[in-house]
Amino acid sequence: MTLHAYQSMPAIRDSAIERLRRHAASEELAPGPLAWDGSKGSLVGCILESEDLAGWESELGLPQWLATAADGIAAQQESIDAALAFGVAVLDAIRPGADVSTAASGVILDALGDAGGFVAALADVPAELRQALAEVEGLHRRVQAGERPAPAEWRAARRTATALTDAQPSELLQALSTCAETAAWDPATSKAVVFDTLRVYSRAAIQKADAESGYTKEDDDRIRVHLELMWNTYLADQPELQEQGITVFSLLEEHHPEIAATLRNKNRMDQAAYVAANRRAAEVLVAQLKRV
């Protein structure tokens, strides 16, 4: 089925943007999974004033994968205002009358290309993983060219990537393989594939930050051991301390400040990487929609 954005009428786009702005101004925008309770909802819920994604296609002429991705990315923005700005940018990026269905593969290819590049700069990517990634990318390039790869081709690519994930020797390589297996779905039949790929791409970006900082599995194991020690030594048999708000993390700060500092630094790096990946995802989605 060929979709025509906004039924080729700019007024439908403008009305959608107006509804979103109105709900945000009334503090009725609550970024998160698709939701609408009659007055308050997620980004897409506020645009549609409904939870029925059939209306996203029939009324707005937009593919369902875009609704899922828009709600998911909006939920990861740093504020309601940022989520609103992102939603307006998405709607405004789409040319009335365009079929933006193939933009899904453009977003996925960008994520896979970026993840593949930064992982290869930090680790030796096995040939079989490079091949699996190339197979998934090839399927999405065919989608961009107007083809419809058979379901069996998607399944085969997915099986290959899935089998490779657990076999990878590092969390960084596992993250790249997870990106490949998550992306190996046809966007025409999977409304979740774009956002799911961006979600695991964000996790890969966190693994990249860890690798660049020198944070290792040994560091992680040491932190876990000491957190367990704090629980067993101070909290397990003293619920009154828990009621006072004392946690394993505050105890780690008190008794092992050097390990607590390592954990703080990791959390700070992870958060920065997560925010940057989400910001990039929003920018890439808007850019791909503009190209159609």
Side-chain angles (χ1 to χ4, degrees), residues 112 115 118 175-176 178-183 194-206:
L112 293 180
F118 66 61
L176 179 59
T178 299
C179 286
E181 67 175 270
T182 304
V194 174
F195 179 64
D196 283 348
T197 301
L198 293 173
R199 177 174 49 79
V200 296
Y201 164 79
S202 295
R203 293 179 186 172
I206 291 172

Side-chain angles (χ1 to χ4, degrees), residues 157-170:
R158 196 160 56 248
R159 279 197 303 268
T160 298
T162 300
L164 286 171
T165 298
D166 290 340
Q168 297 311 306
S170 71

Side-chain angles (χ1 to χ4, degrees), residues 178-258:
T178 299
C179 286
E181 67 175 270
T182 304
W185 293 86
D186 184 353
T189 58
S190 172
K191 65 184 179 184
V193 62
V194 174
F195 179 64
D196 283 348
T197 301
L198 293 173
R199 177 174 49 79
V200 296
Y201 164 79
S202 295
R203 293 179 186 172
I206 291 172
Q207 293 298 330
K208 167 181 177 281
D210 287 349
E212 289 177 334
S213 71
Y215 186 85
T216 66
K217 185 178 183 302
E218 289 71 26
D219 292 323
D220 197 66
D221 290 342
R222 185 167 60 255
I223 288 170
R224 292 177 186 275
V225 165
H226 280 79
L227 289 174
E228 184 177 5
L229 178 64
M230 295 302 96
W231 171 261
N232 291 335
T233 304
Y234 299 102
L235 295 180
D237 299 320
Q238 299 187 72
E240 66 278 7
L241 294 182
Q242 299 176 52
E243 293 171 2
Q244 295 172 23
I246 295 174
T247 69
V248 291
F249 299 103
S250 62
L251 289 167
L252 190 68
E253 290 279 1
E254 179 181 353
H255 296 282
H256 300 279
E258 73 289 352

Side-chain angles (χ1 to χ4, degrees), residues 2-289:
T2 300
L3 296 172
H4 300 281
Y6 310 126
Q7 313 305 334
S8 302
M9 293 184 284
I12 292 179
R13 174 201 59 203
D14 296 343
S15 294
I17 292 174
E18 187 278 328
R19 285 193 299 275
L20 177 58
R21 290 190 187 278
R22 172 164 42 84
H23 287 299
S26 301
E27 299 185 347
E28 295 165 351
L29 172 59
L34 177 64
W36 178 253
D37 67 4
S39 61
K40 186 174 185 176
S42 66
L43 182 81
V44 171
C46 287
I47 292 169
L48 288 178
E49 296 183 333
S50 169
E51 290 184 341
D52 185 4
L53 283 186
W56 184 258
E57 289 189 347
S58 62
E59 297 171 23
L60 297 183
L62 301 174
Q64 291 191 17
W65 68 259
L66 178 55
T68 304
D71 261 345
I73 295 173
Q76 296 171 337
Q77 298 305 296
E78 298 172 76
S79 66
I80 298 293
D81 287 344
L84 171 62
F86 164 70
V88 171
V90 166
L91 294 171
D92 201 43
I94 301 168
R95 175 176 56 83
D99 182 357
V100 298
S101 299
T102 58
S105 288
V107 174
I108 289 170
L109 283 167
D110 184 276
L112 293 180
D114 191 52
F118 66 61
V119 171
L122 293 166
D124 183 13
V125 180
E128 60 270 22
L129 179 52
R130 292 198 303 271
Q131 178 60 32
L133 192 63
E135 288 178 7
V136 176
E137 290 173 331
L139 291 170
H140 283 290
R141 288 195 180 93
R142 288 167 60 189
V143 170
Q144 281 188 311
E147 295 183 43
R148 284 293 305 276
E153 294 181 85
W154 292 104
R155 286 195 299 271
R158 196 160 56 248
R159 279 197 303 268
T160 298
T162 300
L164 286 171
T165 298
D166 290 340
Q168 297 311 306
S170 71
E171 291 184 341
L172 186 64
L173 291 171
Q174 287 176 356
L176 179 59
S177 189
T178 299
C179 286
E181 67 175 270
T182 304
W185 293 86
D186 184 353
T189 58
S190 172
K191 65 184 179 184
V193 62
V194 174
F195 179 64
D196 283 348
T197 301
L198 293 173
R199 177 174 49 79
V200 296
Y201 164 79
S202 295
R203 293 179 186 172
I206 291 172
Q207 293 298 330
K208 167 181 177 281
D210 287 349
E212 289 177 334
S213 71
Y215 186 85
T216 66
K217 185 178 183 302
E218 289 71 26
D219 292 323
D220 197 66
D221 290 342
R222 185 167 60 255
I223 288 170
R224 292 177 186 275
V225 165
H226 280 79
L227 289 174
E228 184 177 5
L229 178 64
M230 295 302 96
W231 171 261
N232 291 335
T233 304
Y234 299 102
L235 295 180
D237 299 320
Q238 299 187 72
E240 66 278 7
L241 294 182
Q242 299 176 52
E243 293 171 2
Q244 295 172 23
I246 295 174
T247 69
V248 291
F249 299 103
S250 62
L251 289 167
L252 190 68
E253 290 279 1
E254 179 181 353
H255 296 282
H256 300 279
E258 73 289 352
I259 294 178
T262 300
L263 178 58
R264 283 198 310 276
N265 289 336
K266 173 181 166 48
N267 288 341
R268 188 161 44 245
M269 289 185 303
D270 288 356
Q271 180 61 23
Y274 180 76
V275 168
N278 290 333
R279 185 180 299 117
R280 187 179 188 280
E283 293 170 352
V284 168
L285 176 61
V286 170
Q288 290 294 330
L289 291 171

